[in-house]
């Protein structure tokens, strides 16, 4: 079903659930994402190279002339509402906290938000590391600015969505997910400097030659949030230790591979391992951009493979299932690169596969994974799509 058809269906639901206020109905979408390389670098002021995928959150909205936001989730078949004059988080309908946080922050930033009725539905797999929450946040912000008719710079928008997740939802994420969900571009990856927020769209190899295949291990470890925060603080410890020798550095982003090998022995052993990953991963992202521009796809694939080994051995955020999925993929002819993607401890792998090897990949990897783990994985062959856009109804 096309995006337009999905939006039209949602408009019917919107009218059924909340009635028609007579105002113009507006539809928008924001994309899920997969990170091609640059993992656990965003909160170190570093570089990332994600792409927005053809899995998204679709929202339709209509102003309601009241001071109330009404939300209907077609996926949960449930609705909720809150007043624009008192936005607090909800312990029961936790999915509403993403729109609540975003709308609260839009208002705090001085935007004039009007009451509206919203119906939404998404097909980004949840809790799989493909940023379904970022898609909901960014989709909410984008729809709100269209319905309320105020100007909203996209970079300001995604920064605000990240802040909503940090302060309102309470998840300490970096800027990558919201940024790509908002600013991704069809057929391109996005090279982002997470310090300056300067970015560059990097064309991906043609879809008839190479495909991006995402494998969902269908496992998620509970410890992801605490381990994530622990890694962040280990990186900060590393910066503090290195500042004795490199007083001008503010983040691991400022440390080169050579400088790091010169001073790493002064750090706690575990902290040094974590930092080694980040410093080298930043370099790998820069090298990947060069490789993609040069059309050196096999070098890009090698960098993806190195990234996985580093996340597994140094940053230690992989798990048995992710490692297995990557090994099964790497064993297949025509797989150029494979790695875990996202925060880790479960979720998905991303694979760069020659188009003519995709069939073999799909026939072998899921079956062997299931044989060894007893878990049925999900596999998505993806294309890079636009991030946040209006859908014409
Ligand atoms: C999660 C976070 C991102 C990023 C990745 C790891 O997806 O939301 O900000 O830190 O983990 O690269």
């Amino acid at each position: 079903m096309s995006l337009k058809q999905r939006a039209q269906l949602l408009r019917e639901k919107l009218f059924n659930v909340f009635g028609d206020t007579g105002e113009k109905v507006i539809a928008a979408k924001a994309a899920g994402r997969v990170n091609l390389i640059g993992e656990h670098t965003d909160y170190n002021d570093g570089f990332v190279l994600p792409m927005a995928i053809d899995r998204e959150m679709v929202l339709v909205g209509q102003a309601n002339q009241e001071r109330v936001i009404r939300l209907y989730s077609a996926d949960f078949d449930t609705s909720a509402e809150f007043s624009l004059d008192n936005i607090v988080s909800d312990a029961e309908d936790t999915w509403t906290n993403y729109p609540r946080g975003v709308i609260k922050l839009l208002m705090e930033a001085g935007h004039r938000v009007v009451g509206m009725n919203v119906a939404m539905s998404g097909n980004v797999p949840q809790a799989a590391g493909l940023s379904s929450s970022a898609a909901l946040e960014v989709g909410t912000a984008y729809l709100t600015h269209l319905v309320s008719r105020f100007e909203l710079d996209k970079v300001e928008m995604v920064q605000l969505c990240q802040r909503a997740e940090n302060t309102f939802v309470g998840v300490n994420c970096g800027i990558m997910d919201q940024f790509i969900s908002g600013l991704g571009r069809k057929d391109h990856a996005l090279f982002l400097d997470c310090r300056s927020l300067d970015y560059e769209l990097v064309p991906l190899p043609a879809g008839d030659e190479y495909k991006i295949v995402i494998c969902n291990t269908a496992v998620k470890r509970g410890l992801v949030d605490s381990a994530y925060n622990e890694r962040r603080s280990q990186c900060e410890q590393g910066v503090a230790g290195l500042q004795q020798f490199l007083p001008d550095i503010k983040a691991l982003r400022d440390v080169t591979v050579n400088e790091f090998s010169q001073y790493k022995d002064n750090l706690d052993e575990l902290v040094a391992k974590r930092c080694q990953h980040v410093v080298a991963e930043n370099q790998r992202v820069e090298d990947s951009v060069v490789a993609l521009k040069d059309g050196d796809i096999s070098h890009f694939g090698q960098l993806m493979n190195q990234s996985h080994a580093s996340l597994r051995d140094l940053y230690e955020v992989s798990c048995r299932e992710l490692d297995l999925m990557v090994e099964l993929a790497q064993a297949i002819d025509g797989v150029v690169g494979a790695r875990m993607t996202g925060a880790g401890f479960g979720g998905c792998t991303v694979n760069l596969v020659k188009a003519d090897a995709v069939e073999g990949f799909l026939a072998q990897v899921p079956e062997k994974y299931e044989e060894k783990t007893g878990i049925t994985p999900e596999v998505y062959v993806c294309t890079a799509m636009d991030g946040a856009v209006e859908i014409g109804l």
Side-chain angles (χ1 to χ4, degrees):
M1 205 187 303
S2 72
L3 283 173
K4 186 174 177 154
Q5 288 167 323
R6 279 166 63 193
Q8 285 167 339
L9 271 181
L10 277 174
R11 178 172 58 188
E12 273 173 41
K13 299 252 185 199
L14 182 84
F15 289 167
N16 289 342
V17 178
F18 299 125
D20 180 359
T21 67
E23 299 279 348
K24 185 171 184 215
V25 179
I26 292 174
K29 72 131 191 177
R33 67 99 185 90
V34 68
N35 189 17
L36 298 176
I37 196 160
E39 217 64 81
H40 291 278
T41 46
D42 62 349
Y43 53 82
N44 288 299
D45 276 2
F47 303 113
V48 292
L49 189 68
M51 68 179 219
I53 58 174
D54 49 348
R55 297 268 173 154
E56 58 286 300
M57 176 60 74
V58 177
L59 307 95
V60 301
Q62 185 179 40
N64 63 19
Q65 298 112 357
E66 294 171 66
R67 300 280 304 155
V68 177
I69 302 287
R70 296 201 179 84
L71 303 170
Y72 172 72
S73 159
D75 304 325
F76 302 137
D77 189 23
T78 180
S79 55
E81 66 174 60
F82 59 89
S83 160
L84 285 174
D85 298 318
N86 179 31
I87 305 184
V88 288
S89 72
D90 187 324
E92 262 171 48
D93 288 325
T94 49
W95 63 276
T96 68
N97 287 329
Y98 301 98
R100 282 169 194 264
V102 167
I103 290 175
K104 187 181 167 91
L105 265 63
L106 281 169
M107 293 173 78
E108 282 174 10
H111 297 295
R112 201 188 52 86
V113 176
V114 303
M116 61 177 173
N117 301 336
V118 179
M120 61 179 84
S121 157
N123 59 8
V124 186
Q126 286 181 19
L130 299 177
S131 295
S132 59
S133 347
L136 175 52
E137 289 155 4
V138 173
T140 301
Y142 203 72
L143 180 77
T144 303
H145 103 286
L146 292 172
V147 172
S148 295
R149 299 192 195 158
F150 55 81
E151 296 282 315
L152 185 60
D153 172 71
K154 269 197 174 172
V155 175
E156 183 205 336
M157 170 178 84
V158 299
Q159 285 181 286
L160 185 143
C161 290
Q162 181 207 8
R163 251 191 353 266
E165 177 135 0
N166 292 165
T167 60
F168 197 87
V169 181
V171 175
N172 205 12
C173 60
I175 187 69
M176 169 171 68
D177 305 344
Q178 289 79 10
F179 203 100
I180 187 66
S181 178
L183 286 108
R185 183 75 58 82
K186 190 173 178 351
D187 299 331
H188 290 76
L190 185 147
F191 172 45
L192 173 66
D193 176 335
C194 298
R195 171 176 281 163
S196 65
L197 300 188
D198 287 342
Y199 66 95
E200 187 187 343
L201 293 164
V202 182
L204 285 165
D208 53 357
E209 286 178 44
Y210 294 93
K211 299 274 183 215
I212 300 291
V213 183
I214 298 175
C215 298
N216 186 350
T217 61
V219 298
K220 183 176 162 67
R221 300 275 180 270
L223 87 195
V224 57
D225 285 349
S226 59
Y228 187 87
N229 291 335
E230 186 188 59
R231 296 300 181 283
R232 286 187 76 138
S233 83
Q234 287 165 335
C235 292
E236 282 161 22
Q237 285 172 50
V239 172
L242 291 166
Q243 274 168 340
Q244 295 174 21
F245 311 96
L246 301 162
D248 293 337
I249 63 164
K250 295 197 170 50
L252 288 176
R253 140 74 180 278
D254 300 312
V255 183
T256 64
V257 172
N258 282 341
E259 284 168 342
F260 186 73
S261 56
Q262 198 175 336
Y263 300 116
K264 68 170 191 245
D265 291 343
N266 300 288
L267 299 178
D268 166 84
E269 207 178 313
L270 189 61
V271 168
K273 268 169 85 173
R274 305 298 188 240
C275 296
Q276 171 128 27
H277 163 74
V278 175
V279 170
E281 184 81 352
N282 275 326
Q283 186 61 52
R284 279 190 286 270
V285 179
E286 292 190 281
D287 293 348
S288 294
V289 173
V290 174
L292 280 173
K293 285 182 180 167
D294 289 351
D296 191 350
I297 309 304
S298 82
H299 185 44
F300 176 49
Q302 284 160 13
L303 292 162
M304 290 175 76
N305 293 339
Q306 286 168 18
S307 169
H308 183 77
S310 174
L311 289 157
R312 180 190 62 210
D313 302 336
L314 298 174
Y315 218 62
E316 296 181 282
V317 290
S318 188
C319 63
R320 193 172 66 88
E321 293 85 355
L322 283 168
D323 291 342
L324 174 66
M325 197 75 95
V326 164
E327 279 160 31
L328 293 173
Q330 286 171 343
I332 290 190
D333 247 9
V335 171
V336 189
R339 56 181 288 275
M340 57 153 276
T341 183
F345 300 102
C348 293
T349 65
V350 57
N351 307 272
L352 182 61
V353 186
K354 284 196 175 139
D356 57 15
V358 169
E359 214 183 295
F361 185 106
L362 298 179
Q364 293 176 58
V365 175
E367 193 181 303
K368 288 191 178 152
Y369 177 82
E370 184 163 355
E371 220 173 82
K372 292 221 154 99
T373 60
I375 305 166
T376 311
E378 280 179 26
V379 182
Y380 329 103
V381 182
C382 282
T383 41
M385 296 303 284
D386 289 336
V389 288
E390 181 171 359
I391 304 168
L393 272 170

